Amino acid sequence: MKKLSIMALSALVAVGSIAGYTVAQQKINDKDLLNQAKNYFQPLPKEIPAPSDNPTTKEKVQLGKMLYYDPRLSLSGVISCNTCHNLATYGVDGVETSLGHKFQTGGKNAPTVLNAGFHIAQFWDGRAKTLEDQAKGPVLNPVEMSMPDPNLVIERLKTIEGYVAEFKKAFPNEKDPVNYDNVAKAIAAFERTLVTPSRFDEFLKGNTKALTQKEKEGLKLFMEKGCASCHNGVAIGGTMFQKFGVVKPYPYQDPNDLGRYNVTKNEADKYVYKVPSLRNVTRTYPYFHDGKVWDIREAVKIMGETQLGITLTDDEIDKIVAFLDSTTGKIPEDALKMPVLPPSSPKTPKPRI
């Protein structure tokens, strides 16, 4: 009996030693994983840096939020920025291509506006360098908001007393602050507040417990398989342009959609698109520039085949998707609160349906 007790005690000590080693080893692995991740990614700052000619102010953000939600920036009076970049659904509209003026549809899937200010450029083909440039485009696009020119936009705004007052507060040093450039500046200022910190950011800051074991395994695969060679940086993407179909053609590619070539006219830019951010990606379906893929697992599978020339197993895909879901962040609460918009006046130009 005494011998059995000693053997049992020895076994417990051995098990304890093994368990202790496992915990210690796991901590070392977590530290190594964190250090490896820091080579590719950075945690989100509280706000997107603003250009020197458009510093972010409280008044500008307030005006920009109102304009972002206001359908009167469209010819019909029914389409706003939020229509296609719905903040309640993580900055997208959840359709292949957005529905615009007179039920027309655009040629590209609407990318999320969340964290967009971290990108190298805006739109899939990168034709807009800044958020300010991007904000001007859809308002005047005949397929989207369809305003015929900036003059009608400003005419509407100048006949709305509440907006005139808001523009004066946002741009106090300007003699005539209600102008199209300032419309774009205000919207861009608001969009720079749309930062979505996630559990992955907590991990990058040193809290290795912020991710589950499966998510860590997915992160490790994401880096080791080569995904992070393009999807990196603060936004986990958005830092470069890349051909879609490096190793194998994208199965749904429209041969007439030439991507960045339409901007540069460079043969090498055919079927080249901006690498999208993967933050909140499990919530921003459907996927890719054409919105043809609805299942995140199929999207990961396609990326492995077309870009990396590898066939990912179901288990690998599940783990990578688990990691991607850890980047789902919190949308700023104030941005989600619908603003009360100033009323039109009898002089405000009427919508044109």
Side-chain angles (χ1 to χ4, degrees):
M1 187 73 179
K2 185 177 180 181
K3 186 177 180 181
L4 181 62
S5 298
I6 293 172
M7 290 177 63
L9 180 60
S10 298
L12 286 172
V13 171
V15 170
S17 299
I18 293 171
Y21 174 79
T22 302
V23 171
Q25 185 65 41
Q26 183 62 49
K27 286 181 180 179
I28 293 172
N29 289 341
D30 283 351
K31 185 178 179 181
D32 289 345
L33 182 65
L34 175 58
N35 288 334
Q36 187 182 358
K38 286 181 177 180
N39 291 326
Y40 293 102
F41 314 107
Q42 299 87 46
L44 286 171
K46 290 183 179 180
E47 195 171 88
I48 297 169
S52 58
D53 63 344
N54 189 27
T56 302
T57 65
K58 180 181 178 181
E59 294 78 12
K60 210 178 289 181
V61 169
Q62 179 176 303
L63 170 60
K65 177 182 174 181
M66 295 166 72
L67 294 169
Y68 185 91
Y69 278 102
D70 200 330
R72 287 172 294 185
L73 292 187
S74 67
L75 186 64
S76 64
V78 297
I79 301 172
S80 70
C81 302
N82 194 64
T83 302
C84 299
H85 302 283
N86 192 335
L87 298 185
T89 52
Y90 279 82
V92 300
D93 54 8
V95 294
E96 285 188 13
T97 54
S98 301
L99 197 65
H101 190 68
K102 293 185 177 180
F103 297 98
Q104 299 175 89
T105 54
K108 296 287 191 298
N109 176 259
T112 179
V113 70
L114 302 178
N115 309 298
F118 292 113
H119 296 191
I120 190 173
Q122 304 301 316
F123 296 115
W124 283 100
D125 58 13
R127 64 184 182 274
K129 287 292 184 183
T130 66
L131 289 176
E132 287 81 1
D133 291 338
Q134 188 280 329
K136 293 180 179 180
V139 176
L140 304 180
N141 189 312
V143 176
E144 298 181 52
M145 298 169 80
S146 198
M147 278 294 201
D149 53 59
N151 294 332
L152 182 56
V153 179
I154 300 309
E155 185 180 352
R156 280 190 181 177
L157 293 173
K158 282 189 172 182
T159 60
I160 300 172
E161 187 176 331
Y163 268 132
V164 173
E166 291 294 331
F167 271 89
K168 287 181 179 178
K169 287 191 291 184
F171 302 95
N173 299 320
E174 297 188 22
K175 184 178 179 181
D176 186 19
V178 188
N179 60 65
Y180 199 58
D181 283 343
N182 285 348
V183 168
K185 285 183 176 181
I187 292 173
F190 168 63
E191 290 178 342
R192 289 193 176 96
T193 68
L194 302 178
V195 177
T196 60
S198 66
R199 287 187 295 110
F200 182 51
D201 293 289
E202 293 303 311
F203 175 82
L204 290 174
K205 291 176 182 178
N207 179 12
T208 56
K209 295 181 180 179
L211 300 185
T212 67
Q213 186 63 30
K214 185 175 182 179
E215 291 165 347
K216 291 173 186 175
E217 291 174 8
L219 169 59
K220 187 175 179 65
L221 284 167
F222 189 85
M223 293 185 289
E224 292 180 348
K225 294 292 184 180
C227 309
S229 61
C230 292
H231 293 283
N232 51 49
V234 174
I236 318 179
T239 60
M240 66 179 75
F241 298 96
Q242 183 60 269
K243 181 179 180 180
F244 197 7
V246 173
V247 180
K248 178 181 175 181
Y250 169 52
Y252 305 110
Q253 181 68 51
D254 177 356
N256 297 315
D257 184 349
L258 301 179
R260 188 155 172 74
Y261 172 82
N262 293 329
V263 178
T264 67
K265 303 306 178 185
N266 184 341
E267 285 290 322
D269 284 336
K270 285 185 176 179
Y271 312 118
V272 168
Y273 303 92
K274 183 181 69 174
V275 173
S277 166
L278 295 188
R279 285 188 176 273
N280 308 302
V281 70
T282 60
R283 302 294 296 272
T284 57
Y285 46 84
Y287 301 109
F288 304 135
H289 61 283
D290 54 7
K292 293 295 184 184
V293 176
W294 287 79
D295 183 355
I296 184 64
R297 286 167 177 77
E298 183 186 356
V300 171
K301 180 176 183 287
I302 287 174
M303 289 299 292
E305 294 173 349
T306 61
Q307 304 304 97
L308 302 172
I310 59 177
T311 300
L312 295 167
T313 67
D314 289 343
D315 182 61
E316 288 172 334
I317 291 173
D318 283 345
K319 288 175 179 176
I320 290 173
V321 170
F323 157 63
L324 293 175
D325 197 41
S326 77
T327 74
T328 302
K330 184 178 180 181
I331 303 169
E333 290 183 10
D334 185 67
L336 292 171
K337 295 177 182 176
M338 293 283 287
V340 177
L341 302 177
S344 299
S345 73
K347 294 181 180 180
T348 304
K350 301 299 184 288
R352 300 181 198 171
I353 308 297

